[in-house]
Amino acid sequence: MATSTDTPGEMPGGADATEAATGERRLERFSSVQVYVHGTIALCIFVLYLTGLPMTFADHLGWLFAIFGYGNIVFLHVAAGVVFITVATYYLLYVALTGLFGPGRIAALPTRQDVSEAIGYVKYLLGRGEKPAADKYTWLQKGEIWVLGVELLVLSVTGLLLWYRGLFVSPEFRAALGGHEHLADVLLLIVRDIHVVVALTMLMGIAFHLYMVNVKERFPFNRTMFTGDVSASRAKHHWADWADEQLEGDADAGHDETPVPSRRTLAVITLALLAFFAVVLLSTLFAAVLSPLPTREYLLALPFDPVTHGAASVVFFLGLNVAVLLIVAGVLAICYGLAKRLRGDF
């Protein structure tokens, strides 16, 4: 799946307006299908988190149940999951058919060049060489796509099993277990644990994805996921090999003037990201890993649950609620961007 990590974005009145005024050539990064698929899947994922987090951390996010109702939140979670699986299946078929019958190759597939690029990038970070030129997707972007893809596959499978949890309690399944019928309940709880752990782990990956897109590549907001194109100068800066191929050898692509955050701003955002990682990691540890099967009433290593008791619970309360507010902001931003795309403003 193409992700917005692939491109820097533009803001009205900023570098994008300057490029438009100068008539700089723009290159297509995403087709219309990719734009709408990416936007729909991103929206589904945000809704899944918006509804799944309160089901996992009801003590801190129970206000969502009070506003929308528990049944409605569960329904939205299931509906978003169904839409996600449907759209993802469609896109996988689209990519497969395009790769088989289209003129080009599937750009997100790993190659040997990615290994060389990764080694060169490490040397670049250590000050022992130049930054390696990248193809349409860098080695890091390909890794991100595949990691998120595997996580989403696991979440889809476990989510379907939880939705059809009657499978575990059916007489046929219990009879197949012979004299170990109790294993059916254990398996159901293990599936729920896997779903929670992978979902919370992927939340960190999504946060990193947004950080790379909107901070490192195009500050403060990347809208290329909605426009589908990128200026030639930015393409030359981030994906030199791909840009050369698209420009057909035209080296005069201009100078990349992508806005970058100040060092202080970058430091604050980076520290906030690390703090978010810490909250997610610890909440995952206490909510599932240290809690077998997966109720948190009997922790393996702790006499009480730090997520809901003690001074640490205040940190988790603030962190989880801030995460929900950011997810709401993300939903609004995606809806706004897709609406502008549909109106032809992009």
Side-chain angles (χ1 to χ4, degrees), residues 133-162:
D135 204 344
K136 185 172 185 179
Y137 304 134
T138 68
W139 67 274
L140 185 60
Q141 290 166 349
K142 287 185 180 180
E144 185 180 1
I145 291 171
W146 283 95
V147 169
L148 289 176
V150 171
E151 289 173 333
L152 288 169
L153 176 61
V154 173
L155 289 175
S156 298
V157 172
T158 54
L160 288 172
L161 289 174
L162 291 173

mmCIF file of all heavy atoms in Angstrom, residues 133-162:
data_model
loop_
_atom_site.group_PDB
_atom_site.id
_atom_site.type_symbol
_atom_site.label_atom_id
_atom_site.label_comp_id
_atom_site.label_asym_id
_atom_site.label_seq_id
_atom_site.Cartn_x
_atom_site.Cartn_y
_atom_site.Cartn_z
ATOM 1 N N ALA A 133 21.103 7.806 -2.868
ATOM 2 C CA ALA A 133 19.936 8.148 -3.670
ATOM 3 C C ALA A 133 18.902 7.039 -3.558
ATOM 4 O O ALA A 133 19.236 5.855 -3.517
ATOM 5 C CB ALA A 133 20.339 8.347 -5.127
ATOM 6 N N ALA A 134 17.630 7.425 -3.518
ATOM 7 C CA ALA A 134 16.554 6.453 -3.342
ATOM 8 C C ALA A 134 15.710 6.352 -4.600
ATOM 9 O O ALA A 134 15.628 7.289 -5.394
ATOM 10 C CB ALA A 134 15.679 6.840 -2.157
ATOM 11 N N ASP A 135 15.068 5.188 -4.737
ATOM 12 C CA ASP A 135 14.101 5.000 -5.810
ATOM 13 C C ASP A 135 12.771 5.591 -5.347
ATOM 14 O O ASP A 135 12.736 6.430 -4.449
ATOM 15 C CB ASP A 135 13.969 3.510 -6.136
ATOM 16 C CG ASP A 135 13.468 3.271 -7.551
ATOM 17 O OD1 ASP A 135 12.941 4.218 -8.156
ATOM 18 O OD2 ASP A 135 13.595 2.136 -8.042
ATOM 19 N N LYS A 136 11.661 5.146 -5.908
ATOM 20 C CA LYS A 136 10.376 5.756 -5.566
ATOM 21 C C LYS A 136 10.094 5.672 -4.077
ATOM 22 O O LYS A 136 9.552 6.604 -3.481
ATOM 23 C CB LYS A 136 9.248 5.079 -6.345
ATOM 24 C CG LYS A 136 7.898 5.737 -6.125
ATOM 25 C CD LYS A 136 6.827 5.189 -7.039
ATOM 26 C CE LYS A 136 5.525 5.957 -6.861
ATOM 27 N NZ LYS A 136 4.460 5.481 -7.751
ATOM 28 N N TYR A 137 10.445 4.548 -3.443
ATOM 29 C CA TYR A 137 10.301 4.399 -2.001
ATOM 30 C C TYR A 137 11.671 4.086 -1.413
ATOM 31 O O TYR A 137 12.383 3.217 -1.917
ATOM 32 C CB TYR A 137 9.331 3.263 -1.647
ATOM 33 C CG TYR A 137 7.957 3.413 -2.259
ATOM 34 C CD1 TYR A 137 7.344 2.332 -2.883
ATOM 35 C CD2 TYR A 137 7.283 4.634 -2.219
ATOM 36 C CE1 TYR A 137 6.079 2.463 -3.456
ATOM 37 C CE2 TYR A 137 6.025 4.769 -2.782
ATOM 38 C CZ TYR A 137 5.433 3.685 -3.392
ATOM 39 O OH TYR A 137 4.189 3.819 -3.957
ATOM 40 N N THR A 138 12.043 4.751 -0.338
ATOM 41 C CA THR A 138 13.307 4.465 0.315
ATOM 42 C C THR A 138 13.219 3.122 1.029
ATOM 43 O O THR A 138 12.129 2.573 1.239
ATOM 44 C CB THR A 138 13.663 5.558 1.328
ATOM 45 O OG1 THR A 138 12.733 5.499 2.435
ATOM 46 C CG2 THR A 138 13.606 6.941 0.695
ATOM 47 N N TRP A 139 14.359 2.609 1.449
ATOM 48 C CA TRP A 139 14.379 1.338 2.167
ATOM 49 C C TRP A 139 13.564 1.433 3.453
ATOM 50 O O TRP A 139 12.885 0.480 3.854
ATOM 51 C CB TRP A 139 15.820 0.937 2.490
ATOM 52 C CG TRP A 139 16.488 1.851 3.488
ATOM 53 C CD1 TRP A 139 17.138 3.017 3.231
ATOM 54 C CD2 TRP A 139 16.544 1.664 4.903
ATOM 55 N NE1 TRP A 139 17.601 3.587 4.390
ATOM 56 C CE2 TRP A 139 17.248 2.773 5.440
ATOM 57 C CE3 TRP A 139 16.072 0.683 5.775
ATOM 58 C CZ2 TRP A 139 17.483 2.920 6.804
ATOM 59 C CZ3 TRP A 139 16.303 0.827 7.139
ATOM 60 C CH2 TRP A 139 17.005 1.936 7.633
ATOM 61 N N LEU A 140 13.613 2.598 4.116
ATOM 62 C CA LEU A 140 12.869 2.769 5.364
ATOM 63 C C LEU A 140 11.371 2.808 5.104
ATOM 64 O O LEU A 140 10.575 2.235 5.862
ATOM 65 C CB LEU A 140 13.316 4.063 6.048
ATOM 66 C CG LEU A 140 12.718 4.339 7.429
ATOM 67 C CD1 LEU A 140 13.069 3.221 8.409
ATOM 68 C CD2 LEU A 140 13.208 5.681 7.966
ATOM 69 N N GLN A 141 10.964 3.449 4.026
ATOM 70 C CA GLN A 141 9.549 3.510 3.686
ATOM 71 C C GLN A 141 9.011 2.131 3.321
ATOM 72 O O GLN A 141 7.900 1.763 3.699
ATOM 73 C CB GLN A 141 9.343 4.500 2.542
ATOM 74 C CG GLN A 141 9.558 5.945 2.961
ATOM 75 C CD GLN A 141 9.691 6.880 1.774
ATOM 76 O OE1 GLN A 141 9.821 6.439 0.627
ATOM 77 N NE2 GLN A 141 9.695 8.176 2.044
ATOM 78 N N LYS A 142 9.802 1.350 2.583
ATOM 79 C CA LYS A 142 9.373 -0.014 2.260
ATOM 80 C C LYS A 142 9.232 -0.846 3.537
ATOM 81 O O LYS A 142 8.272 -1.609 3.691
ATOM 82 C CB LYS A 142 10.372 -0.676 1.315
ATOM 83 C CG LYS A 142 10.338 -0.146 -0.108
ATOM 84 C CD LYS A 142 11.275 -0.947 -0.999
ATOM 85 C CE LYS A 142 11.259 -0.435 -2.440
ATOM 86 N NZ LYS A 142 12.159 -1.212 -3.314
ATOM 87 N N GLY A 143 10.200 -0.703 4.441
ATOM 88 C CA GLY A 143 10.122 -1.434 5.701
ATOM 89 C C GLY A 143 8.876 -1.057 6.479
ATOM 90 O O GLY A 143 8.187 -1.921 7.046
ATOM 91 N N GLU A 144 8.571 0.234 6.489
ATOM 92 C CA GLU A 144 7.390 0.707 7.195
ATOM 93 C C GLU A 144 6.113 0.137 6.574
ATOM 94 O O GLU A 144 5.206 -0.309 7.287
ATOM 95 C CB GLU A 144 7.361 2.237 7.148
ATOM 96 C CG GLU A 144 6.236 2.856 7.949
ATOM 97 C CD GLU A 144 6.251 4.368 7.865
ATOM 98 O OE1 GLU A 144 7.131 4.919 7.174
ATOM 99 O OE2 GLU A 144 5.360 4.987 8.463
ATOM 100 N N ILE A 145 6.055 0.132 5.256
ATOM 101 C CA ILE A 145 4.881 -0.403 4.567
ATOM 102 C C ILE A 145 4.669 -1.871 4.919
ATOM 103 O O ILE A 145 3.553 -2.301 5.247
ATOM 104 C CB ILE A 145 5.038 -0.246 3.041
ATOM 105 C CG1 ILE A 145 4.953 1.232 2.658
ATOM 106 C CG2 ILE A 145 3.971 -1.046 2.302
ATOM 107 C CD1 ILE A 145 5.314 1.501 1.208
ATOM 108 N N TRP A 146 5.744 -2.662 4.885
ATOM 109 C CA TRP A 146 5.600 -4.094 5.132
ATOM 110 C C TRP A 146 5.315 -4.412 6.596
ATOM 111 O O TRP A 146 4.534 -5.325 6.904
ATOM 112 C CB TRP A 146 6.846 -4.835 4.650
ATOM 113 C CG TRP A 146 6.852 -4.979 3.166
ATOM 114 C CD1 TRP A 146 7.459 -4.162 2.253
ATOM 115 C CD2 TRP A 146 6.173 -5.979 2.400
ATOM 116 N NE1 TRP A 146 7.217 -4.583 0.972
ATOM 117 C CE2 TRP A 146 6.425 -5.700 1.022
ATOM 118 C CE3 TRP A 146 5.389 -7.072 2.726
ATOM 119 C CZ2 TRP A 146 5.908 -6.497 0.000
ATOM 120 C CZ3 TRP A 146 4.874 -7.867 1.705
ATOM 121 C CH2 TRP A 146 5.141 -7.573 0.365
ATOM 122 N N VAL A 147 5.922 -3.681 7.515
ATOM 123 C CA VAL A 147 5.649 -3.904 8.944
ATOM 124 C C VAL A 147 4.189 -3.584 9.246
ATOM 125 O O VAL A 147 3.478 -4.373 9.894
ATOM 126 C CB VAL A 147 6.589 -3.057 9.818
ATOM 127 C CG1 VAL A 147 6.128 -3.083 11.270
ATOM 128 C CG2 VAL A 147 8.014 -3.591 9.726
ATOM 129 N N LEU A 148 3.728 -2.426 8.782
ATOM 130 C CA LEU A 148 2.326 -2.062 9.001
ATOM 131 C C LEU A 148 1.391 -3.052 8.311
ATOM 132 O O LEU A 148 0.329 -3.394 8.848
ATOM 133 C CB LEU A 148 2.069 -0.643 8.497
ATOM 134 C CG LEU A 148 2.694 0.495 9.308
ATOM 135 C CD1 LEU A 148 2.434 1.837 8.634
ATOM 136 C CD2 LEU A 148 2.152 0.507 10.729
ATOM 137 N N GLY A 149 1.788 -3.529 7.134
ATOM 138 C CA GLY A 149 0.961 -4.490 6.421
ATOM 139 C C GLY A 149 0.782 -5.784 7.200
ATOM 140 O O GLY A 149 -0.331 -6.321 7.302
ATOM 141 N N VAL A 150 1.875 -6.292 7.768
ATOM 142 C CA VAL A 150 1.800 -7.531 8.561
ATOM 143 C C VAL A 150 0.956 -7.305 9.810
ATOM 144 O O VAL A 150 0.119 -8.149 10.182
ATOM 145 C CB VAL A 150 3.213 -8.015 8.933
ATOM 146 C CG1 VAL A 150 3.147 -9.157 9.939
ATOM 147 C CG2 VAL A 150 3.967 -8.465 7.693
ATOM 148 N N GLU A 151 1.160 -6.171 10.470
ATOM 149 C CA GLU A 151 0.377 -5.872 11.675
ATOM 150 C C GLU A 151 -1.111 -5.772 11.348
ATOM 151 O O GLU A 151 -1.962 -6.277 12.097
ATOM 152 C CB GLU A 151 0.879 -4.570 12.300
ATOM 153 C CG GLU A 151 2.240 -4.694 12.936
ATOM 154 C CD GLU A 151 2.791 -3.362 13.408
ATOM 155 O OE1 GLU A 151 2.417 -2.316 12.838
ATOM 156 O OE2 GLU A 151 3.598 -3.349 14.359
ATOM 157 N N LEU A 152 -1.436 -5.135 10.241
ATOM 158 C CA LEU A 152 -2.840 -5.005 9.856
ATOM 159 C C LEU A 152 -3.450 -6.357 9.503
ATOM 160 O O LEU A 152 -4.632 -6.602 9.767
ATOM 161 C CB LEU A 152 -2.965 -4.039 8.685
ATOM 162 C CG LEU A 152 -2.724 -2.562 9.027
ATOM 163 C CD1 LEU A 152 -2.604 -1.729 7.760
ATOM 164 C CD2 LEU A 152 -3.843 -2.027 9.911
ATOM 165 N N LEU A 153 -2.647 -7.246 8.915
ATOM 166 C CA LEU A 153 -3.137 -8.592 8.610
ATOM 167 C C LEU A 153 -3.461 -9.343 9.899
ATOM 168 O O LEU A 153 -4.519 -9.984 10.014
ATOM 169 C CB LEU A 153 -2.084 -9.358 7.802
ATOM 170 C CG LEU A 153 -2.417 -10.825 7.480
ATOM 171 C CD1 LEU A 153 -3.685 -10.913 6.632
ATOM 172 C CD2 LEU A 153 -1.247 -11.492 6.760
ATOM 173 N N VAL A 154 -2.560 -9.269 10.876
ATOM 174 C CA VAL A 154 -2.797 -9.940 12.161
ATOM 175 C C VAL A 154 -4.034 -9.374 12.844
ATOM 176 O O VAL A 154 -4.872 -10.109 13.389
ATOM 177 C CB VAL A 154 -1.559 -9.804 13.075
ATOM 178 C CG1 VAL A 154 -1.861 -10.339 14.475
ATOM 179 C CG2 VAL A 154 -0.365 -10.538 12.481
ATOM 180 N N LEU A 155 -4.172 -8.046 12.809
ATOM 181 C CA LEU A 155 -5.339 -7.420 13.427
ATOM 182 C C LEU A 155 -6.624 -7.814 12.724
ATOM 183 O O LEU A 155 -7.670 -7.995 13.366
ATOM 184 C CB LEU A 155 -5.179 -5.897 13.409
ATOM 185 C CG LEU A 155 -4.129 -5.333 14.361
ATOM 186 C CD1 LEU A 155 -3.972 -3.822 14.155
ATOM 187 C CD2 LEU A 155 -4.506 -5.613 15.809
ATOM 188 N N SER A 156 -6.576 -7.952 11.397
ATOM 189 C CA SER A 156 -7.767 -8.361 10.655
ATOM 190 C C SER A 156 -8.189 -9.776 11.028
ATOM 191 O O SER A 156 -9.375 -10.038 11.274
ATOM 192 C CB SER A 156 -7.499 -8.263 9.149
ATOM 193 O OG SER A 156 -7.214 -6.942 8.759
ATOM 194 N N VAL A 157 -7.224 -10.686 11.086
ATOM 195 C CA VAL A 157 -7.533 -12.081 11.407
ATOM 196 C C VAL A 157 -8.063 -12.202 12.830
ATOM 197 O O VAL A 157 -9.105 -12.827 13.083
ATOM 198 C CB VAL A 157 -6.292 -12.966 11.205
ATOM 199 C CG1 VAL A 157 -6.555 -14.387 11.721
ATOM 200 C CG2 VAL A 157 -5.887 -13.009 9.736
ATOM 201 N N THR A 158 -7.352 -11.609 13.795
ATOM 202 C CA THR A 158 -7.797 -11.695 15.190
ATOM 203 C C THR A 158 -9.115 -10.952 15.398
ATOM 204 O O THR A 158 -9.960 -11.372 16.189
ATOM 205 C CB THR A 158 -6.721 -11.136 16.135
ATOM 206 O OG1 THR A 158 -6.362 -9.798 15.733
ATOM 207 C CG2 THR A 158 -5.482 -12.017 16.116
ATOM 208 N N GLY A 159 -9.295 -9.841 14.682
ATOM 209 C CA GLY A 159 -10.551 -9.104 14.797
ATOM 210 C C GLY A 159 -11.734 -9.912 14.309
ATOM 211 O O GLY A 159 -12.809 -9.913 14.933
ATOM 212 N N LEU A 160 -11.556 -10.626 13.185
ATOM 213 C CA LEU A 160 -12.627 -11.480 12.683
ATOM 214 C C LEU A 160 -12.926 -12.626 13.656
ATOM 215 O O LEU A 160 -14.086 -12.991 13.870
ATOM 216 C CB LEU A 160 -12.242 -12.038 11.314
ATOM 217 C CG LEU A 160 -12.253 -11.032 10.154
ATOM 218 C CD1 LEU A 160 -11.660 -11.657 8.896
ATOM 219 C CD2 LEU A 160 -13.673 -10.548 9.881
ATOM 220 N N LEU A 161 -11.881 -13.185 14.265
ATOM 221 C CA LEU A 161 -12.085 -14.261 15.241
ATOM 222 C C LEU A 161 -12.836 -13.751 16.466
ATOM 223 O O LEU A 161 -13.676 -14.465 17.033
ATOM 224 C CB LEU A 161 -10.735 -14.856 15.655
ATOM 225 C CG LEU A 161 -10.020 -15.699 14.602
ATOM 226 C CD1 LEU A 161 -8.633 -16.105 15.084
ATOM 227 C CD2 LEU A 161 -10.848 -16.936 14.250
ATOM 228 N N LEU A 162 -12.543 -12.531 16.880
ATOM 229 C CA LEU A 162 -13.258 -11.966 18.024
ATOM 230 C C LEU A 162 -14.704 -11.632 17.658
ATOM 231 O O LEU A 162 -15.607 -11.730 18.493
ATOM 232 C CB LEU A 162 -12.529 -10.707 18.523
ATOM 233 C CG LEU A 162 -11.175 -10.943 19.175
ATOM 234 C CD1 LEU A 162 -10.477 -9.622 19.464
ATOM 235 C CD2 LEU A 162 -11.327 -11.746 20.466
#
